[in-house]
Amino acid sequence: MKARGFTLVELLVTIALMGLMGVICWRGLDYVIAQRGEVERESLEIARVLRTFAQVERDLAERLPDTAAANALALTPSGMEVVRHAPQAGLLRVVYRVEPQGLMRNDVLLLPGASAIKLRVHAGGFWAVPGEPRVQPPVPPAAIEVALEHARGERYVKVLPL
């Protein structure tokens, strides 16, 4: 009569292989869970940056024309100042500046962790940095480049028409 079934060695090999596959799967799931937290953090950061650029774009779009106010848009190495029309409040002066906690819009923290804001304008066919000693363009700027730097080293840049 012939014996049926698996030998003890075959069962031990099968159990060892299943244990090895379980460890590999567990490590893979652990990695996915760790990456999920990182993706959520980065998504929140990108949402803040997009909201910041949208606010800057809105302030620039609603600024007073240069004919109505001489300094409707003032750019400095440390930030910018925009005079805009607010529907309920009338004229509103908006100041963007970097402080230790991040990018501020007037007294509101707009982008936590921002370490610098760098601005350039496009006028007369070339880019110029406001306040640099080299020749400034004689024509009004057509676009502004806003670059935000984060304390962790990320850099976000957007060019906005004026």
Side-chain angles (χ1 to χ4, degrees):
M1 184 165 173
K2 218 174 177 184
R4 296 183 176 204
F6 298 106
T7 65
L8 182 60
V9 172
E10 291 172 333
L11 287 175
L12 288 175
V13 168
T14 303
I15 291 172
L17 287 175
M18 288 180 67
L20 181 64
M21 288 186 62
V23 168
I24 291 171
C25 290
W26 175 74
R27 294 288 303 200
L29 286 175
D30 185 47
Y31 176 77
V32 168
I33 290 170
Q35 291 304 310
R36 184 179 185 185
E38 183 68 20
V39 166
E40 286 177 5
R41 186 196 64 76
E42 288 179 4
S43 296
L44 180 62
E45 181 70 23
I46 296 279
R48 285 181 182 147
V49 169
L50 290 175
R51 200 171 26 249
T52 299
F53 280 134
Q55 183 65 56
V56 170
E57 187 171 11
R58 182 173 180 201
D59 286 337
L60 289 173
E62 295 180 358
R63 81 182 192 289
L64 292 179
D66 293 334
T67 56
N71 290 329
L73 176 62
L75 304 175
T76 65
S78 62
M80 83 175 153
E81 187 174 318
V82 180
V83 178
R84 65 173 277 217
H85 179 267
Q88 291 84 14
L91 292 182
L92 178 64
R93 184 173 304 275
V94 179
V95 178
Y96 288 93
R97 67 190 181 284
V98 175
E99 292 190 358
Q101 63 266 33
L103 180 67
M104 303 291 289
R105 179 184 183 266
N106 290 348
D107 292 328
V108 177
L109 180 60
L110 199 57
L111 185 61
S115 61
I117 181 171
K118 297 190 179 183
L119 305 165
R120 293 191 315 164
V121 294
H122 187 268
F126 63 93
W127 288 97
V129 177
E132 273 191 355
R134 66 182 220 183
V135 177
Q136 294 296 314
V139 295
I144 183 171
E145 178 188 79
V146 180
L148 300 172
E149 295 179 2
H150 201 275
R152 289 188 307 269
E154 292 115 355
R155 186 168 191 258
Y156 306 101
V157 180
K158 184 160 186 176
V159 177
L160 303 168
L162 291 178

Short mmCIF file of all heavy atoms in Angstrom, two decimals, residues 90-138:
data_model
loop_
_atom_site.label_atom_id
_atom_site.label_comp_id
_atom_site.label_asym_id
_atom_site.label_seq_id
_atom_site.Cartn_x
_atom_site.Cartn_y
_atom_site.Cartn_z
N GLY A 90 -12.50 99.46 0.53
CA GLY A 90 -11.92 100.53 -0.29
C GLY A 90 -10.48 100.19 -0.62
O GLY A 90 -10.17 99.10 -1.06
N LEU A 91 -9.58 101.16 -0.39
CA LEU A 91 -8.16 100.91 -0.67
C LEU A 91 -7.53 100.09 0.44
O LEU A 91 -7.76 100.34 1.62
CB LEU A 91 -7.41 102.23 -0.83
CG LEU A 91 -7.78 103.06 -2.05
CD1 LEU A 91 -6.93 104.31 -2.11
CD2 LEU A 91 -7.65 102.26 -3.32
N LEU A 92 -6.72 99.14 0.05
CA LEU A 92 -6.08 98.25 1.01
C LEU A 92 -4.61 98.13 0.64
O LEU A 92 -4.27 97.84 -0.50
CB LEU A 92 -6.75 96.87 0.97
CG LEU A 92 -6.19 95.78 1.87
CD1 LEU A 92 -6.37 96.15 3.34
CD2 LEU A 92 -6.85 94.46 1.57
N ARG A 93 -3.74 98.35 1.61
CA ARG A 93 -2.30 98.20 1.41
C ARG A 93 -1.91 96.80 1.92
O ARG A 93 -2.09 96.48 3.08
CB ARG A 93 -1.54 99.28 2.18
CG ARG A 93 -0.05 99.25 1.96
CD ARG A 93 0.65 100.45 2.59
NE ARG A 93 0.14 101.72 2.13
CZ ARG A 93 0.54 102.34 1.02
NH1 ARG A 93 1.45 101.79 0.27
NH2 ARG A 93 0.02 103.49 0.67
N VAL A 94 -1.37 96.00 1.01
CA VAL A 94 -0.98 94.63 1.32
C VAL A 94 0.54 94.55 1.29
O VAL A 94 1.16 94.93 0.29
CB VAL A 94 -1.59 93.63 0.32
CG1 VAL A 94 -1.16 92.22 0.64
CG2 VAL A 94 -3.09 93.74 0.30
N VAL A 95 1.13 94.05 2.36
CA VAL A 95 2.58 93.94 2.46
C VAL A 95 2.95 92.47 2.63
O VAL A 95 2.46 91.80 3.54
CB VAL A 95 3.12 94.77 3.65
CG1 VAL A 95 4.62 94.60 3.78
CG2 VAL A 95 2.73 96.22 3.51
N TYR A 96 3.80 91.98 1.73
CA TYR A 96 4.34 90.63 1.84
C TYR A 96 5.77 90.74 2.35
O TYR A 96 6.57 91.50 1.81
CB TYR A 96 4.37 89.94 0.46
CG TYR A 96 3.01 89.55 -0.04
CD1 TYR A 96 2.27 90.40 -0.86
CD2 TYR A 96 2.46 88.32 0.28
CE1 TYR A 96 1.03 90.04 -1.33
CE2 TYR A 96 1.21 87.95 -0.18
CZ TYR A 96 0.50 88.81 -0.99
OH TYR A 96 -0.74 88.44 -1.45
N ARG A 97 6.07 89.99 3.41
CA ARG A 97 7.41 90.01 3.98
C ARG A 97 7.68 88.65 4.64
O ARG A 97 6.75 87.95 5.02
CB ARG A 97 7.57 91.14 4.99
CG ARG A 97 6.73 90.97 6.23
CD ARG A 97 6.70 92.19 7.13
NE ARG A 97 5.91 91.97 8.31
CZ ARG A 97 4.60 91.96 8.36
NH1 ARG A 97 3.90 92.16 7.27
NH2 ARG A 97 3.96 91.75 9.49
N VAL A 98 8.96 88.34 4.77
CA VAL A 98 9.34 87.08 5.41
C VAL A 98 9.79 87.38 6.83
O VAL A 98 10.61 88.26 7.07
CB VAL A 98 10.47 86.38 4.62
CG1 VAL A 98 10.95 85.14 5.36
CG2 VAL A 98 9.98 86.02 3.24
N GLU A 99 9.22 86.65 7.76
CA GLU A 99 9.59 86.73 9.17
C GLU A 99 10.06 85.35 9.62
O GLU A 99 9.95 84.39 8.84
CB GLU A 99 8.39 87.23 9.99
CG GLU A 99 8.06 88.67 9.67
CD GLU A 99 7.04 89.27 10.63
OE1 GLU A 99 6.56 88.55 11.53
OE2 GLU A 99 6.73 90.45 10.47
N PRO A 100 10.56 85.19 10.82
CA PRO A 100 11.09 83.88 11.24
C PRO A 100 10.08 82.73 11.13
O PRO A 100 10.47 81.61 10.83
CB PRO A 100 11.49 84.10 12.70
CG PRO A 100 11.79 85.56 12.78
CD PRO A 100 10.85 86.23 11.82
N GLN A 101 8.79 83.00 11.33
CA GLN A 101 7.82 81.91 11.25
C GLN A 101 7.38 81.60 9.82
O GLN A 101 6.79 80.56 9.57
CB GLN A 101 6.60 82.17 12.14
CG GLN A 101 5.80 83.39 11.75
CD GLN A 101 6.19 84.64 12.50
OE1 GLN A 101 7.34 84.81 12.85
NE2 GLN A 101 5.24 85.50 12.75
N GLY A 102 7.64 82.50 8.86
CA GLY A 102 7.27 82.23 7.47
C GLY A 102 6.89 83.49 6.72
O GLY A 102 7.17 84.61 7.16
N LEU A 103 6.21 83.31 5.59
CA LEU A 103 5.78 84.44 4.76
C LEU A 103 4.52 85.04 5.33
O LEU A 103 3.53 84.34 5.56
CB LEU A 103 5.54 83.97 3.32
CG LEU A 103 5.08 85.05 2.34
CD1 LEU A 103 6.19 86.07 2.11
CD2 LEU A 103 4.64 84.43 1.03
N MET A 104 4.56 86.35 5.55
CA MET A 104 3.43 87.07 6.13
C MET A 104 2.77 87.92 5.05
O MET A 104 3.44 88.50 4.20
CB MET A 104 3.89 87.97 7.28
CG MET A 104 4.63 87.26 8.39
SD MET A 104 3.60 86.17 9.35
CE MET A 104 2.61 87.33 10.25
N ARG A 105 1.46 88.00 5.09
CA ARG A 105 0.68 88.94 4.29
C ARG A 105 0.01 89.85 5.30
O ARG A 105 -0.91 89.44 5.99
CB ARG A 105 -0.35 88.22 3.44
CG ARG A 105 -1.21 89.16 2.60
CD ARG A 105 -2.27 88.37 1.85
NE ARG A 105 -3.04 89.24 0.99
CZ ARG A 105 -4.19 89.79 1.34
NH1 ARG A 105 -4.71 89.56 2.54
NH2 ARG A 105 -4.83 90.57 0.50
N ASN A 106 0.49 91.06 5.37
CA ASN A 106 0.14 91.99 6.44
C ASN A 106 0.48 91.31 7.77
O ASN A 106 1.62 91.04 8.04
CB ASN A 106 -1.29 92.48 6.33
CG ASN A 106 -1.49 93.42 5.15
OD1 ASN A 106 -0.53 93.88 4.55
ND2 ASN A 106 -2.72 93.69 4.80
N ASP A 107 -0.49 90.97 8.59
CA ASP A 107 -0.20 90.32 9.88
C ASP A 107 -0.66 88.86 9.92
O ASP A 107 -0.78 88.28 10.99
CB ASP A 107 -0.86 91.10 11.02
CG ASP A 107 -0.23 92.47 11.19
OD1 ASP A 107 0.98 92.59 10.94
OD2 ASP A 107 -0.95 93.42 11.59
N VAL A 108 -0.92 88.28 8.75
CA VAL A 108 -1.41 86.90 8.68
C VAL A 108 -0.31 86.01 8.13
O VAL A 108 0.30 86.32 7.10
CB VAL A 108 -2.66 86.82 7.76
CG1 VAL A 108 -3.14 85.39 7.62
CG2 VAL A 108 -3.76 87.72 8.30
N LEU A 109 -0.07 84.89 8.80
CA LEU A 109 0.92 83.91 8.34
C LEU A 109 0.33 83.18 7.14
O LEU A 109 -0.64 82.45 7.25
CB LEU A 109 1.26 82.92 9.47
CG LEU A 109 2.28 81.85 9.13
CD1 LEU A 109 3.61 82.46 8.73
CD2 LEU A 109 2.45 80.91 10.30
N LEU A 110 0.94 83.40 5.98
CA LEU A 110 0.43 82.83 4.74
C LEU A 110 1.10 81.51 4.40
O LEU A 110 0.44 80.57 3.98
CB LEU A 110 0.65 83.84 3.60
CG LEU A 110 -0.16 83.69 2.34
CD1 LEU A 110 -1.65 83.72 2.64
CD2 LEU A 110 0.17 84.80 1.37
N LEU A 111 2.41 81.43 4.58
CA LEU A 111 3.14 80.21 4.24
C LEU A 111 4.15 79.90 5.34
O LEU A 111 5.24 80.46 5.38
CB LEU A 111 3.86 80.38 2.89
CG LEU A 111 4.57 79.15 2.34
CD1 LEU A 111 3.59 78.02 2.11
CD2 LEU A 111 5.28 79.50 1.05
N PRO A 112 3.79 79.01 6.27
CA PRO A 112 4.71 78.66 7.35
C PRO A 112 5.99 78.02 6.81
O PRO A 112 5.95 77.24 5.87
CB PRO A 112 3.92 77.65 8.19
CG PRO A 112 2.51 77.77 7.76
CD PRO A 112 2.52 78.29 6.37
N GLY A 113 7.12 78.38 7.40
CA GLY A 113 8.39 77.79 7.02
C GLY A 113 9.09 78.46 5.86
O GLY A 113 10.21 78.08 5.52
N ALA A 114 8.47 79.45 5.23
CA ALA A 114 9.13 80.14 4.12
C ALA A 114 10.32 80.93 4.68
O ALA A 114 10.21 81.62 5.69
CB ALA A 114 8.16 81.08 3.41
N SER A 115 11.46 80.82 4.01
CA SER A 115 12.66 81.49 4.51
C SER A 115 13.06 82.71 3.68
O SER A 115 13.83 83.54 4.15
CB SER A 115 13.83 80.51 4.56
OG SER A 115 14.10 80.02 3.26
N ALA A 116 12.53 82.82 2.44
CA ALA A 116 12.89 83.96 1.60
C ALA A 116 11.86 84.14 0.50
O ALA A 116 11.22 83.18 0.07
CB ALA A 116 14.27 83.78 0.98
N ILE A 117 11.71 85.38 0.07
CA ILE A 117 10.92 85.70 -1.11
C ILE A 117 11.83 86.51 -2.02
O ILE A 117 12.47 87.46 -1.58
CB ILE A 117 9.62 86.46 -0.77
CG1 ILE A 117 8.80 86.74 -2.05
CG2 ILE A 117 9.90 87.73 -0.01
CD1 ILE A 117 7.42 87.29 -1.78
N LYS A 118 11.94 86.07 -3.27
CA LYS A 118 12.79 86.77 -4.23
C LYS A 118 11.92 87.19 -5.40
O LYS A 118 11.13 86.40 -5.91
CB LYS A 118 13.94 85.88 -4.68
CG LYS A 118 14.84 85.53 -3.52
CD LYS A 118 16.09 84.86 -3.94
CE LYS A 118 16.89 84.60 -2.67
NZ LYS A 118 18.14 84.03 -2.88
N LEU A 119 12.09 88.44 -5.81
CA LEU A 119 11.25 89.01 -6.86
C LEU A 119 12.11 89.51 -8.01
O LEU A 119 13.19 90.07 -7.78
CB LEU A 119 10.42 90.16 -6.28
CG LEU A 119 9.58 89.81 -5.06
CD1 LEU A 119 9.10 91.05 -4.37
CD2 LEU A 119 8.41 88.94 -5.45
N ARG A 120 11.61 89.31 -9.23
CA ARG A 120 12.22 89.89 -10.42
C ARG A 120 11.08 90.39 -11.30
O ARG A 120 9.98 89.84 -11.27
CB ARG A 120 13.01 88.85 -11.23
CG ARG A 120 14.21 88.32 -10.54
CD ARG A 120 15.11 87.50 -11.45
NE ARG A 120 14.39 86.53 -12.28
CZ ARG A 120 14.92 85.94 -13.35
NH1 ARG A 120 16.16 86.21 -13.71
NH2 ARG A 120 14.24 85.07 -14.05
N VAL A 121 11.36 91.44 -12.08
CA VAL A 121 10.37 91.96 -13.01
C VAL A 121 10.90 91.82 -14.43
O VAL A 121 12.11 91.88 -14.67
CB VAL A 121 10.01 93.43 -12.72
CG1 VAL A 121 9.29 93.55 -11.39
CG2 VAL A 121 11.22 94.32 -12.74
N HIS A 122 9.98 91.62 -15.36
CA HIS A 122 10.33 91.54 -16.77
C HIS A 122 9.84 92.82 -17.44
O HIS A 122 8.64 93.08 -17.48
CB HIS A 122 9.71 90.32 -17.43
CG HIS A 122 10.17 90.11 -18.83
ND1 HIS A 122 9.50 90.62 -19.91
CD2 HIS A 122 11.26 89.48 -19.32
CE1 HIS A 122 10.15 90.30 -21.02
NE2 HIS A 122 11.22 89.60 -20.68
N ALA A 123 10.77 93.61 -17.91
CA ALA A 123 10.43 94.87 -18.57
C ALA A 123 11.52 95.21 -19.56
O ALA A 123 12.70 94.97 -19.31
CB ALA A 123 10.28 95.98 -17.53
N GLY A 124 11.12 95.75 -20.69
CA GLY A 124 12.10 96.17 -21.68
C GLY A 124 12.87 95.02 -22.29
O GLY A 124 13.98 95.20 -22.77
N GLY A 125 12.33 93.81 -22.22
CA GLY A 125 12.99 92.67 -22.85
C GLY A 125 13.96 91.90 -21.97
O GLY A 125 14.60 90.97 -22.44
N PHE A 126 14.09 92.27 -20.71
CA PHE A 126 15.00 91.51 -19.83
C PHE A 126 14.46 91.48 -18.41
O PHE A 126 13.56 92.24 -18.05
CB PHE A 126 16.42 92.08 -19.88
CG PHE A 126 16.54 93.50 -19.37
CD1 PHE A 126 16.86 93.76 -18.05
CD2 PHE A 126 16.33 94.58 -20.22
CE1 PHE A 126 16.97 95.05 -17.58
CE2 PHE A 126 16.45 95.88 -19.76
CZ PHE A 126 16.77 96.12 -18.44
N TRP A 127 15.02 90.60 -17.61
CA TRP A 127 14.64 90.47 -16.21
C TRP A 127 15.54 91.36 -15.36
O TRP A 127 16.74 91.42 -15.58
CB TRP A 127 14.79 89.02 -15.74
CG TRP A 127 13.74 88.13 -16.32
CD1 TRP A 127 13.87 87.33 -17.40
CD2 TRP A 127 12.41 87.95 -15.84
NE1 TRP A 127 12.70 86.67 -17.63
CE2 TRP A 127 11.79 87.02 -16.68
CE3 TRP A 127 11.68 88.47 -14.77
CZ2 TRP A 127 10.47 86.61 -16.51
CZ3 TRP A 127 10.38 88.06 -14.60
CH2 TRP A 127 9.77 87.14 -15.45
N ALA A 128 14.94 92.01 -14.38
CA ALA A 128 15.70 92.88 -13.47
C ALA A 128 15.25 92.61 -12.04
O ALA A 128 14.08 92.35 -11.78
CB ALA A 128 15.48 94.35 -13.82
N VAL A 129 16.20 92.66 -11.14
CA VAL A 129 15.91 92.51 -9.72
C VAL A 129 15.76 93.90 -9.12
O VAL A 129 16.65 94.73 -9.26
CB VAL A 129 17.05 91.73 -9.01
CG1 VAL A 129 16.79 91.63 -7.52
CG2 VAL A 129 17.20 90.35 -9.62
N PRO A 130 14.62 94.17 -8.48
CA PRO A 130 14.42 95.51 -7.90
C PRO A 130 15.48 95.83 -6.86
O PRO A 130 15.84 94.99 -6.04
CB PRO A 130 13.04 95.42 -7.25
CG PRO A 130 12.40 94.23 -7.84
CD PRO A 130 13.48 93.31 -8.27
N GLY A 131 16.00 97.04 -6.92
CA GLY A 131 16.97 97.49 -5.95
C GLY A 131 18.41 97.19 -6.30
O GLY A 131 19.32 97.63 -5.60
N GLU A 132 18.66 96.41 -7.36
CA GLU A 132 20.04 96.15 -7.76
C GLU A 132 20.63 97.42 -8.38
O GLU A 132 19.92 98.18 -9.02
CB GLU A 132 20.11 95.00 -8.78
CG GLU A 132 20.19 93.65 -8.15
CD GLU A 132 20.54 92.57 -9.16
OE1 GLU A 132 20.63 92.85 -10.36
OE2 GLU A 132 20.71 91.43 -8.72
N PRO A 133 21.92 97.63 -8.23
CA PRO A 133 22.52 98.87 -8.72
C PRO A 133 22.61 98.97 -10.25
O PRO A 133 22.85 100.05 -10.76
CB PRO A 133 23.91 98.87 -8.10
CG PRO A 133 24.18 97.46 -7.74
CD PRO A 133 22.86 96.82 -7.49
N ARG A 134 22.41 97.86 -10.96
CA ARG A 134 22.51 97.96 -12.41
C ARG A 134 21.34 98.73 -13.00
O ARG A 134 20.39 99.06 -12.30
CB ARG A 134 22.64 96.59 -13.05
CG ARG A 134 21.43 95.73 -12.89
CD ARG A 134 21.69 94.39 -13.51
NE ARG A 134 20.47 93.98 -14.20
CZ ARG A 134 20.32 92.85 -14.81
NH1 ARG A 134 21.32 92.02 -14.87
NH2 ARG A 134 19.20 92.54 -15.39
N VAL A 135 21.35 98.99 -14.25
CA VAL A 135 20.35 99.82 -14.91
C VAL A 135 18.97 99.17 -14.80
O VAL A 135 18.81 97.99 -15.10
CB VAL A 135 20.71 100.02 -16.40
CG1 VAL A 135 19.65 100.82 -17.11
CG2 VAL A 135 22.07 100.68 -16.51
N GLN A 136 17.99 99.95 -14.39
CA GLN A 136 16.62 99.47 -14.31
C GLN A 136 15.89 99.83 -15.60
O GLN A 136 16.17 100.86 -16.21
CB GLN A 136 15.91 100.08 -13.09
CG GLN A 136 16.48 99.64 -11.76
CD GLN A 136 16.30 98.16 -11.51
OE1 GLN A 136 15.24 97.61 -11.73
NE2 GLN A 136 17.36 97.49 -11.08
N PRO A 137 14.94 99.01 -16.04
CA PRO A 137 14.26 99.28 -17.29
C PRO A 137 13.43 100.56 -17.21
O PRO A 137 12.80 100.83 -16.19
CB PRO A 137 13.36 98.06 -17.50
CG PRO A 137 13.27 97.41 -16.17
CD PRO A 137 14.49 97.78 -15.40
N PRO A 138 13.40 101.33 -18.30
CA PRO A 138 12.64 102.58 -18.29
C PRO A 138 11.14 102.38 -18.52
O PRO A 138 10.36 103.30 -18.34
CB PRO A 138 13.27 103.37 -19.44
CG PRO A 138 13.76 102.32 -20.38
CD PRO A 138 14.17 101.16 -19.53
#
